Amino acid sequence: MAVAVLAFTVYCVVDVVQTEEDKVRGLPKLVWLLVVLIVPLAGGLSWLIAGRARGILQPRPQTRPRGPRGPDDDPDFLRGI
C-alpha cells in the first residue's frame, strides 16, 4: 500500500510541475505542489479533482464557420418572404 501511495504522489508531483501556470485551477501552482507533498493521498486527489485543468472543459476549435443551418434560420431568406 505504501508503494502505491508513493507512486501516486510522484505522479501528482510530476503532473503539478509539468502543468502550465495558466491551466492550474483553484490555488497557485506552488501551493498545489506543497499540498500534494504534505498530504500525499488527499492532496493528490484534490489536485486531480480540483486543481488541474480538465480536457473536457476546453473549448474545441470550430472546424467549419457557423452560419444558418436551414432557410428558416437565415435572416436574408426570412426578409425576402
Side-chain angles (χ1 to χ4, degrees):
M1 189 66 159
V3 173
V5 172
L6 179 64
F8 179 68
T9 303
V10 169
Y11 170 78
C12 290
V13 166
V14 170
D15 194 36
V16 170
V17 170
Q18 289 183 347
T19 302
E20 297 175 18
E21 186 74 36
D22 60 335
K23 303 280 186 203
V24 176
R25 298 183 305 157
L27 300 171
K29 191 172 172 177
L30 182 61
V31 175
W32 276 118
L33 185 61
L34 291 174
V35 168
V36 169
L37 289 172
I38 293 172
V39 190
L41 192 56
L45 287 174
S46 299
W47 162 251
L48 293 177
I49 293 171
R52 90 178 188 185
R54 295 184 220 163
I56 298 170
L57 298 178
Q58 302 301 324
R60 292 185 286 166
Q62 293 184 2
T63 56
R64 61 187 172 104
R66 297 191 74 124
R69 294 185 179 187
D72 57 337
D73 292 336
D74 188 359
D76 295 329
F77 175 78
L78 293 175
R79 269 187 245 119
I81 295 181

